[in-house]
């Protein structure tokens, strides 16, 4: 068998080019696929304040004697428009009577974990609640008894108890002891071990997966969630801050988006709101990138718009958000931030105007938003939409128009097949170097087609994304941010595939795409270095893709190489402009036995990086890239 001739690859270590911004590789969060309630937000009770369209959705009444108790749903809209409903429970006899809550496709309960129960109540007489965590057969796996004393005013009572068994599909049962009437609202249950042990906080394993990526930014809260199906359904950040019990729940627009994935119990409680997003960004060392509605609902749905003469409240929301994030505590919104526990500013530097809008009506709104924001906050950089596609009439119009208007950052989206990603590794090689910067705001290779239930986060898709990302890195002077989308998906409650991270009520895992993103983000370097073969960048010749950068802090050269072929490829990597190479180089290899291979809950790291080393010879490294592999090589200089 004839051995293939090794290809010569050159890295010019003494010719650093464009700086790679710390924000280069980030994450995109949207409340789709149960990413917030039932996902990142660790609340276990669904419809805790009875504000769903069906007020008792998620709740089941239990009675051992017919007629020994009842529930009345009351509405105090005039008194409390943001949280109008509560329930009045009447227990007539001593027979068993109670309510259970099913959670979000069940409740994930862990043996030995402490759970914190809280409830807002107004009892007319003493009432005791028998609290039980139950398995699907109704057997207790943790219990407590909470006495509610009579009160004419609403009060919050709490108790904690420990689970005795691990169960992925548990429920919460509340039994009523004693006869009488009690008003109840905001019935809540959280695990003790949230992220950073914050009461009412975030699910720790999911945040850890994000923190491990070391993202440069986090975009929130979406996505189409920003627009809403109509403007009444849009995301309004001011309704997501302040006391949790005062935040106004709305229907999640993904509740009714796809007939084939109907999710009638999908709402937004906003327990995960803008304060928590900013706090999360700070926790994981990421720049916050909030996206605000620009007076336009989703153009795929109603395409409802606010007339320009009526746009001022939307602009004021943008100005007030900057004050909330950065303002002094003496200001109205900076004071609210401080009252919520964060007197220091969040150091907001950028903001998105609209999500995936297009057409002249978007340009019209872009102009008035930009004029108002820049007049008061000239240093805030604005991210602007180029529509839902990377080409075509909508894209061409916005790309041309926004460039003429000297927009700061253009947000490009690409949901395409793996072949598109391979063919577009050179997309930015010929962009105007003096024009707006690019945010690759949403991208994911589709194994089937967009919106297909058959899309899989397989190795072929991840490998194509890695090849494409070498082109983003090579053009870091133009592309300053990039993020895969969507981020999260619950295995029992998803609407869209593929996704970066999957989870059930107890477990979670990163897909092959996740590990590609993580390898880029953990090895981003500080400046681009020329990497060439026969004088040209490595952009798919013989199925090879590559980029290189220098990590000045670590004094290392970082090389990323992708072999998209079924054949091994031998390389001689020559390092020009270095005095010596410390041997051996460190390498991280990502591969799979099959292109359709995927990670799963039961085998979460089937496709994950494997560390190895590569010996050097003077200023050269000899490496053979196995078929269908993504390699990161770090060389100390």
């Amino acid at each position: 068998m004839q051995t293939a001739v090794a290809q010569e690859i050159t890295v010019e270590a003494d010719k650093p080019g464009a700086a790679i911004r710390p924000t280069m590789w980030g994450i995109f969060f949207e409340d789709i696929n149960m990413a917030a309630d039932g996902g990142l937000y660790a609340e276990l009770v669904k419809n805790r304040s009875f504000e769903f369209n069906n007020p008792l959705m998620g709740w089941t009444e239990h009675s051992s004697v017919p007629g020994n108790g009842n529930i009345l749903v009351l509405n105090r809209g005039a008194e409390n428009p943001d949280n109008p409903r509560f329930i009045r429970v009447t227990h007539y006899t001593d027979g068993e009577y109670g309510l259970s809550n099913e959670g979000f496709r069940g409740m994930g309960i862990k043996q030995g974990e402490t759970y914190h129960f809280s409830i807002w109540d107004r009892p007319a007489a003493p009432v005791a609640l028998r609290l039980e965590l139950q398995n699907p057969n109704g057997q207790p796996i943790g219990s407590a008894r909470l006495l509610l004393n009579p009160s004419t005013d609403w009060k919050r009572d709490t108790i904690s108890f420990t689970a005795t068994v691990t169960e992925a599909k548990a429920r919460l049962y509340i039994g009523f002891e004693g006869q009488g009437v009690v008003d109840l609202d905001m019935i809540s249950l959280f695990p003790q071990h949230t992220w950073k042990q914050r009461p009412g906080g975030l699910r720790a394993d999911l945040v850890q997966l994000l923190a491990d990526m070391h993202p440069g930014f986090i975009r929130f809260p979406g996505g189409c969630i920003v627009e809403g199906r109509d403007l009444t359904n849009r995301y309004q950040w001011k309704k997501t801050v302040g006391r949790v019990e005062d935040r106004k729940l709305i229907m999640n627009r993904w509740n009714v988006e796809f007939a084939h994935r109907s999710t009638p119990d999908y709402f937004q409680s906003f327990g995960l709101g803008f304060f928590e997003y900013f706090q999360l960004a700070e926790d994981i060392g990421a720049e916050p990138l909030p996206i605000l509605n620009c007076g336009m609902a989703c153009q795929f749905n109603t395409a409802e718009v606010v007339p320009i003469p009526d746009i001022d409240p939307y602009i004021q929301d943008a100005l007030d958000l900057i004050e909330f994030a950065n303002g002094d505590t003496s200001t109205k919104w900076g004071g609210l931030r401080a009252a919520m526990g964060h007197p220091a500013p969040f150091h907001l530097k950028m903001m998105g105007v609209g999500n995936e809008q297009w057409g002249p009506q978007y340009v019209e709104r872009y102009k008035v938003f930009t004029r108002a924001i820049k007049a008061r906050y000239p240093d805030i950089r604005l991210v602007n939409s180029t529509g839902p596609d990377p080409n075509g009439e909508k894209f061409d119009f916005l790309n041309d128009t926004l460039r003429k208007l000297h927009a700061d950052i253009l947000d490009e989206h690409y949901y395409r097949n793996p072949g598109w990603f391979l063919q577009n590794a050179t997309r930015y090689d010929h962009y105007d170097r003096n024009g707006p910067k690019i945010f690759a705001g949403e991208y994911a290779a589709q194994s089937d087609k967009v919106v297909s239930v058959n899309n899989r986060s397989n190795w072929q898709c991840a490998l194509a994304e890695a090849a494409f990302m070498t082109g983003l890195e090579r053009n870091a002077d133009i592309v300053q941010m990039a993020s895969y989308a969507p981020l999260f998906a619950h295995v029992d409650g998803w609407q869209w595939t593929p996704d970066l991270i999957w989870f059930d009520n107890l477990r979670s895992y990163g897909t092959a795409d996740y590990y590609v993103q993580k390898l880029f983000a953990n090895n981003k370097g500080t400046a681009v270095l020329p990497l060439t073969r026969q004088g040209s960048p490595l952009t798919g010749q013989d199925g090879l893709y590559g980029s290189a950068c220098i990590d000045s802090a670590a004094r290392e050269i970082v090389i990323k190489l992708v072999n998209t072929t079924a054949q091994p490829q031998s390389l001689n990597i020559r390092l020009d402009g270095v005095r010596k190479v410390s041997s051996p180089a460190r390498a991280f290899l990502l591969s799979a036995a099959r292109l359709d291979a995927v990670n799963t809950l039961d085998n979460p790291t089937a496709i994950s990086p494997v560390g190895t080393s590569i010996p050097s010879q003077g200023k050269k490294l000899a490496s053979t890239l196995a078929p269908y592999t993504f390699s990161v090589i770090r060389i100390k200089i």
Side-chain angles (χ1 to χ4, degrees), residues 588-609:
F588 305 93
L589 176 67
L590 199 58
S591 65
R594 297 163 41 134
L595 286 174
D596 62 356
V598 296
N599 289 344
T600 65
L601 285 169
D602 293 326
N603 197 354
T605 58
I607 306 171
S608 58

Side-chain angles (χ1 to χ4, degrees), residues 311-386:
I311 202 74
D312 284 354
Y314 291 76
I315 295 174
Q316 193 61 50
D317 279 351
L319 298 173
D320 290 344
L321 178 61
I322 299 171
E323 182 178 289
F324 177 76
N326 296 348
D328 186 87
T329 56
S330 63
T331 65
K332 175 182 176 180
W333 294 103
L336 176 60
R337 183 194 69 240
M340 294 183 71
H342 201 287
F346 282 118
H347 305 293
L348 178 67
K349 299 174 185 175
M350 52 188 173
M351 173 188 293
V353 176
N355 172 48
E356 206 172 54
Q357 269 70 52
W358 65 80
Q361 63 270 41
Y362 174 64
V363 174
E364 190 178 22
R365 284 154 182 77
Y366 156 80
K367 289 178 180 177
V368 294
F369 268 84
T370 300
R371 187 162 53 245
I373 294 170
K374 293 289 188 178
R376 187 175 300 182
Y377 300 104
D379 294 333
I380 294 290
R381 302 174 75 215
L382 298 181
V383 174
N384 306 284
S385 170
T386 57

